[in-house]
Amino acid sequence: MPSTRRVLTALRRVIGLGAGPRPRTRAGDAGRADASRRPVGGPGLARGPEPVSPGQSGSSATVELDPRRVGRVRFGYSPERDGEPDPGEVVWTWVPYEERDGRGKDRPVAIVAAGAAGEYLAVQLTSRPHDGDPEYVALGTGAWDAEGRPSWARIDRVYRVRIGGMRREGAALDRTSYDRLTAALSGRYGWR
């Protein structure tokens, strides 16, 4: 049976508690932290998988749709603070990037219409100015942006959002902004 001392020495080597000589450093490395002594979870170390955002995957995933294949759309401004998305509300969900490579981010979307049970049509919002750009509709400011910045709805990309795929209600568009947005979508895609 190995001695206790050999077992402890081996254990120290495995967990990096300084058994044996310390690695030599180059002259310019004297002020740098030894990478083997970084705390667990510190910079440069592998981390576990990133948490999955609501709407990112599974049956409640937010999916980009071909707006010309959506079919009949029934608009109807009906925001109601009940924890479920309603036409006219801004909710947060994971939105895929244009590259369609599996990446995306959590962002606000405006719900424009209700579809099948628990499904809604939405367009993403941005606070980057797009005055005069026909692919964006100015919405003004609202409680969905904590900094009070004006927002624009991007109408060249349309998403299906499911109840389980939203993170939270952000606020509601005013009726005038909702009507301006749905008129732009109807004009672009022939939705009636």
Side-chain angles (χ1 to χ4, degrees):
M1 184 154 144
S3 74
T4 304
R5 181 178 220 153
R6 275 194 273 169
V7 171
L8 290 175
T9 301
L11 185 58
R12 284 186 183 120
R13 282 188 184 130
V14 170
I15 62 173
L17 290 178
R22 289 192 58 164
R24 292 186 182 170
T25 59
R26 296 184 305 241
D29 291 343
R32 294 186 189 151
D34 180 2
S36 67
R37 299 208 179 266
R38 288 183 184 150
V40 173
L45 296 179
R47 294 186 175 94
E50 292 292 321
V52 176
S53 295
Q56 186 172 352
S57 63
S59 63
S60 62
T62 298
V63 177
E64 185 172 0
L65 303 174
D66 179 347
R68 290 173 177 77
R69 293 180 168 222
V70 168
R72 184 179 171 94
V73 176
R74 297 172 90 186
F75 296 117
Y77 182 75
S78 59
E80 186 177 327
R81 306 257 326 153
D82 58 2
E84 295 185 11
D86 299 303
E89 289 182 354
V90 175
V91 300
W92 287 76
T93 188
W94 185 85
V95 175
Y97 290 149
E98 286 181 81
E99 294 81 7
R100 294 176 181 91
D101 60 4
R103 295 178 303 138
K105 76 179 205 179
D106 197 49
R107 64 183 312 131
V109 297
I111 302 297
V112 295
E119 294 185 355
Y120 302 86
L121 288 179
V123 294
Q124 74 184 47
L125 303 186
T126 182
S127 59
R128 184 180 301 160
H130 287 278
D131 290 324
D133 188 332
E135 296 189 353
Y136 291 83
V137 174
L139 299 176
T141 60
W144 57 85
D145 187 278
E147 297 176 30
R149 298 172 294 186
S151 294
W152 285 259
R154 184 174 180 179
I155 63 171
D156 66 330
R157 296 182 75 200
V158 176
Y159 303 93
R160 181 197 65 213
V161 177
R162 291 189 167 151
I163 291 174
M166 67 173 235
R167 183 164 56 86
R168 66 179 170 86
E169 290 176 296
L173 300 173
D174 62 71
R175 180 65 190 246
T176 302
S177 295
Y178 175 81
D179 289 344
R180 186 170 50 252
L181 175 56
T182 56
L185 288 165
S186 291
R188 183 174 180 123
Y189 301 116
W191 293 348
R192 301 284 177 243

